[in-house]
Amino acid sequence: MSFLRKVCPAKLAGRCSFVVASLLLAAVVFVSWHSAKSPDTGKMTTKPDTISKRDLPRNADSEEHLEEVVPSLRKSANLILPDVVEVNDDNNLPHMYKEFDKNPEAFLKKKIPEFNQVDVGAAEKSRIREDRAGTPKVSCIINGKKKISCLRTKAGEVYMPFKFIQDYFEVSGEFVNNSQGSGKDKNNKGTFYFEQSHTPLFPTATEYRVGGKFMYFGQYNVEGRTRVMLISGVHGVPVSNQWDKKGYIYPIQVAQYGLSHHAKLLDENGASDDSLRVLEDGSKSDSKWQVPSGSKILYQLSNVTREPVVYFNTLESRGVSEFPSLKIDEENVDSCVSFDVKFLSTSANVSIVLSAGDDSEYVLTYQSEGFYKKTGDDNMIYGIGPCREWCSLHRDVMVDMKKFVSDWNSVKHLITSIKHLEVRGEGYIDNVTISEHCHEGHFKAASDWMVRNQDNNGGWPVPVTRVITSQKLTLPPGWYSAMGQGQAISLLVRAYLKYKKPEYLDAAGQGLRIYQKLSTEHGVRARFLDKFNWYEEYPTTPPLFILNGFIYSLFGLYDLAQVSQGQTKITAQQLYSDGMKSLKVMLPLYDSGKGTYYDLRHVTIPLIPPNRARGDYHAVHISQLQYLGLIDSDPIFNITAARWVGYTEGHWAPHN
């Protein structure tokens, strides 16, 4: 008794004494049983150090069998058995006994977190006892085929593992630890958040303005996508490797890249960019060039603008490891470095040097030759084209780094600063700046790419093969996408409204020609029931009637109709009107009662199952309808969107 008084606090003496006594009894019973079952080797095993499945009787391969051998164990130690008896090679009763014997108070605090909670009431003590008594495992047979382990309470309630529920019902959940409880929740250890949908919905649409932010694209991080190989040094737009590992420029991705940065640019406008630092603009007063022997840094007037620019020449410093450098010392490594450059030699290049915490350096080099390549783990090279005329570059430094470094999650924490900029070879450099973002530069690069790369048909062809529906449908290189046409037009309209350059609006108008051609004639227009026009994201035969791509194509037509004049305006309005008529008739076909269908392939292709929209596409469908409801008064869009929102909360369509 003196031992128990020494170990147990007064306010928990009854329970603590019971726990200690139970543990001692469990140990004695266990040791007696194990001694009796030891092999007859001539030596009696009285206190084994370990217990594993091979030490148990032949049929004792679970905790339930162990309790059959020692039926009184859980009854006498029902508070602690779940913690101290685990039939495996690592935790065992004798080990726990030794731990208790060495430091009883520490052992009890470890095994019974409530040990020091002396103010818990009788009801809470009862709940703790029920919890500590454990919940028996039972087998759950799923559809007569699959077996999983479940838990069954004394009240008969059966609990299934959430991992199974998550996969089986396509739901999601997350456990969040509470930092500290208060009041009635002081014993709450955390909260589990259950969601019907894997994907959160976009904020409810409240405004759609031509020239404004394009829908929800301000939330997109196109360059961060895994299928984006890198941002081209030549064109300043994403290079994709989704369908060809060698890399290609995908017009849809370019348009989304431009629209996302346009939306972010509008968010930034109205607030001064205090982060912008001009490092070199042709003025000698603020520049911080370090020029080693044999190299030249000179200030000259541009033949075009008659403004001062920096001339560099290192051709006479062959064999020298140091080159002219411009000090940056920027600790915000998530920055964008911009500069204009004109190369006079094929060996010319510009490098950005980053410091790492281990005193090492990473180098990003932008040179006239090559597409892109990596030389070693610390030197990444982007080809930016010949640049015999002035080229403008806007490079997100960490994005360029990430696309080359395989173990990025480990490396990114090592980068401490953007150290300096180096020049090599012969050429000119000007307008060197650093800022938190380059949204306008990226927006303009994407818009200019659209103008330069539109073909004679008015389209932006996709240069790779697209295989759909398990090899059943194939689009050879050169196919057009209505989604690509529509998003390109939306991008060009916004570029026109910002810069007032007619070439943007002209290119947008030329893009209508692809809408007018049937998909069977190298266009994007399909017919549903030979009556309703539909603009195809993937113009296959037979058509797929993809919903989200079609709606994006309509927004491009709507945008262009609002800003164009003459025949272009008439054509855009007619194509838009035809599409909206089709959508209002066909929209109910995409409602599954629990979610939405991505397309109608199950209608057009014999014996193929429906293609359900996964969570993120269902969220896109909802947001698209909400935006359509802002520009069209037909209630079908808002009513349908509200019903589809309900599906994400478990409010499914009724059954018979």
Side-chain angles (χ1 to χ4, degrees):
M1 293 298 295
S2 60
F3 169 73
L4 293 177
R5 284 195 297 270
K6 179 180 179 181
V7 172
C8 300
K11 292 185 179 181
L12 284 180
R15 180 193 172 190
C16 184
S17 299
F18 177 72
V19 171
V20 175
S22 299
L23 180 62
L24 294 175
L25 176 60
V28 171
V29 172
F30 182 87
V31 170
S32 299
W33 167 78
H34 191 272
S35 300
K37 292 295 181 179
S38 298
D40 187 11
T41 61
K43 296 181 181 180
M44 180 65 69
T45 304
T46 58
K47 186 182 272 190
D49 290 331
T50 60
I51 180 173
S52 66
K53 291 183 180 180
R54 62 178 176 271
D55 297 317
L56 298 176
R58 183 164 298 179
N59 67 338
D61 56 357
S62 67
E63 183 177 319
E64 287 80 8
H65 288 124
L66 177 60
E67 289 185 279
E68 291 176 7
V69 177
V70 192
S72 63
L73 198 55
R74 183 179 293 278
K75 183 178 179 180
S76 61
N78 66 331
L79 289 177
I80 56 174
L81 183 59
D83 284 326
V84 300
V85 177
E86 297 181 14
V87 184
N88 55 52
D89 292 335
D90 298 318
N91 291 324
N92 51 79
L93 189 58
H95 173 75
M96 295 298 181
Y97 176 82
K98 287 183 178 180
E99 185 178 344
F100 171 80
D101 191 39
K102 182 177 180 181
N103 192 332
E105 186 173 356
F107 175 83
L108 290 172
K109 287 181 179 180
K110 175 182 177 182
K111 291 298 171 184
I112 307 177
E114 299 83 3
F115 184 77
N116 286 327
Q117 295 177 4
V118 297
D119 296 326
V120 295
E124 184 67 11
K125 288 181 180 179
S126 176
R127 182 193 68 79
I128 293 171
R129 286 193 184 93
E130 289 294 323
D131 288 347
R132 291 293 168 182
T135 304
K137 290 183 179 180
V138 296
S139 295
C140 290
I141 307 300
I142 311 302
N143 298 325
K145 297 179 180 179
K146 182 179 180 179
K147 179 180 177 181
I148 64 172
S149 293
C150 302
L151 298 177
R152 185 176 183 273
T153 66
K154 291 182 178 179
E157 188 74 36
V158 175
Y159 290 88
M160 306 178 80
F162 183 74
K163 182 63 172 67
F164 168 78
I165 295 174
Q166 184 177 30
D167 296 339
Y168 192 87
F169 294 101
E170 298 180 355
V171 295
S172 63
E174 179 184 15
F175 184 82
V176 178
N177 286 313
N178 292 346
S179 57
Q180 59 182 13
S182 61
K184 295 181 179 180
D185 293 329
K186 65 181 180 179
N187 295 315
N188 188 355
K189 304 302 181 184
T191 303
F192 186 82
Y193 292 89
F194 176 91
E195 298 288 347
Q196 182 69 41
S197 173
H198 287 275
T199 308
L201 300 180
F202 295 102
T204 302
T206 58
E207 176 189 36
Y208 185 81
R209 181 172 54 85
V210 177
K213 291 190 287 187
F214 185 75
M215 304 175 75
Y216 41 79
F217 274 40
Q219 300 182 41
Y220 279 178
N221 177 22
V222 177
E223 54 269 42
R225 297 171 180 171
T226 56
R227 58 184 177 271
V228 172
M229 190 181 215
L230 49 81
I231 303 301
S232 168
V234 178
H235 305 289
V237 298
V239 176
S240 179
N241 61 3
Q242 184 175 7
W243 300 319
D244 188 336
K245 298 305 179 184
K246 295 178 181 178
Y248 61 96
I249 295 180
Y250 186 33
I252 290 178
Q253 215 163 60
V254 175
Q256 293 180 353
Y257 180 71
L259 288 168
S260 69
H261 282 287
H262 176 263
K264 294 169 185 175
L265 176 63
L266 294 181
D267 285 336
E268 296 293 337
N269 283 349
S272 61
D273 187 3
D274 297 330
S275 69
L276 179 66
R277 283 200 293 137
V278 177
L279 303 173
E280 177 61 86
D281 61 357
S283 172
K284 297 181 181 180
S285 58
D286 297 326
S287 63
K288 300 178 181 178
W289 288 96
Q290 297 290 327
V291 185
S293 176
S295 298
K296 294 179 181 178
I297 290 290
L298 304 173
Y299 291 87
Q300 300 179 356
L301 292 179
S302 168
N303 294 330
V304 179
T305 64
R306 305 307 298 171
E307 296 290 333
V309 297
V310 175
Y311 168 79
F312 61 88
N313 190 330
T314 67
L315 297 181
E316 298 180 4
S317 58
R318 299 184 185 278
V320 178
S321 60
E322 294 185 357
F323 299 90
S325 62
L326 178 64
K327 184 178 180 181
I328 298 178
D329 282 347
E330 175 58 57
E331 293 184 357
N332 180 13
V333 294
D334 290 310
S335 294
C336 176
V337 176
S338 300
F339 55 89
D340 299 332
V341 67
K342 179 179 179 180
F343 292 149
L344 300 179
S345 68
T346 57
S347 62
N349 62 64
V350 178
S351 296
I352 298 173
V353 180
L354 298 90
S355 296
D358 55 359
D359 294 328
S360 61
E361 294 180 342
Y362 291 90
V363 182
L364 287 165
T365 299
Y366 305 92
Q367 66 178 24
S368 61
E369 298 178 347
F371 177 37
Y372 66 91
K373 60 182 178 180
K374 177 179 178 180
T375 58
D377 292 331
D378 55 0
N379 190 21
M380 286 68 68
I381 299 176
Y382 282 84
I384 60 174
C387 288
R388 292 297 183 176
E389 300 299 329
W390 283 98
C391 298
S392 294
L393 276 76
H394 308 277
R395 308 303 300 187
D396 287 306
V397 174
M398 294 302 271
V399 172
D400 282 353
M401 280 283 297
K402 179 180 179 180
K403 297 303 180 181
F404 273 107
V405 179
S406 56
D407 190 16
W408 176 243
N409 288 331
S410 299
V411 172
K412 66 180 179 180
H413 301 295
L414 301 177
I415 309 298
T416 57
S417 68
I418 303 174
K419 188 176 180 181
H420 61 258
L421 177 147
E422 289 183 354
V423 292
R424 302 185 188 189
E426 184 181 15
Y428 295 99
I429 191 168
D430 192 21
N431 298 324
V432 184
T433 64
I434 187 169
S435 61
E436 289 184 356
H437 64 81
C438 290
H439 297 319
E440 183 169 359
H442 300 329
F443 163 61
K444 191 172 186 303
S447 303
D448 291 342
W449 186 91
M450 290 296 177
V451 173
R452 292 194 308 267
N453 291 275
Q454 189 175 36
D455 67 10
N456 293 332
N457 295 320
W460 291 275
V462 181
V464 296
T465 298
R466 177 72 171 106
V467 179
I468 308 169
T469 63
S470 301
Q471 313 276 338
K472 295 182 183 297
L473 300 176
T474 300
L475 293 171
W479 55 276
Y480 301 108
S481 169
M483 177 173 166
Q485 296 292 121
Q487 291 185 345
I489 291 172
S490 292
L491 174 65
L492 290 166
V493 165
R494 284 160 175 77
Y496 169 72
L497 292 174
K498 181 170 181 59
Y499 299 112
K500 307 302 181 185
K501 292 184 177 182
E503 56 262 36
Y504 293 128
L505 192 59
D506 291 343
Q510 291 296 317
L512 298 178
R513 293 160 57 191
I514 296 295
Y515 282 84
Q516 298 172 300
K517 299 177 66 174
L518 290 171
S519 55
T520 55
E521 300 173 354
H522 203 206
V524 297
R525 183 167 62 92
R527 300 275 287 171
F528 186 74
L529 299 179
D530 201 28
K531 185 176 181 180
F532 300 103
N533 286 323
W534 193 272
Y535 312 122
E536 286 279 82
E537 179 178 348
Y538 301 128
T540 59
T541 303
L544 296 172
F545 299 107
I546 297 172
L547 180 59
N548 82 93
F550 174 67
I551 295 177
Y552 282 133
S553 76
L554 294 181
F555 275 101
L557 296 171
Y558 175 83
D559 290 345
L560 183 57
Q562 305 308 304
V563 301
S564 58
Q565 302 293 327
Q567 187 58 47
T568 299
K569 184 180 186 70
I570 294 172
T571 302
Q573 286 178 329
Q574 185 60 55
L575 291 169
Y576 173 75
S577 178
D578 289 347
M580 289 294 280
K581 177 183 176 181
S582 301
L583 181 61
K584 293 174 184 180
V585 171
M586 297 172 62
L587 188 59
L589 299 177
Y590 294 88
D591 194 323
S592 73
K594 290 185 177 182
T596 50
Y597 294 119
Y598 178 79
D599 54 33
L600 299 182
R601 66 183 63 188
H602 58 292
V603 176
T604 61
I605 303 176
L607 304 178
I608 195 169
N611 186 24
R612 295 181 300 123
R614 64 176 188 249
D616 52 347
Y617 277 105
H618 183 66
V620 166
H621 291 161
I622 292 170
S623 189
Q624 287 180 322
L625 295 192
Q626 290 174 343
Y627 278 104
L628 285 174
L630 296 173
I631 62 178
D632 190 292
S633 60
D634 194 313
I636 188 174
F637 299 120
N638 288 327
I639 291 175
T640 303
R643 183 167 64 249
W644 289 358
V645 169
Y647 293 165
T648 69
E649 300 169 351
H651 305 305
W652 298 335
H655 55 71
N656 58 9

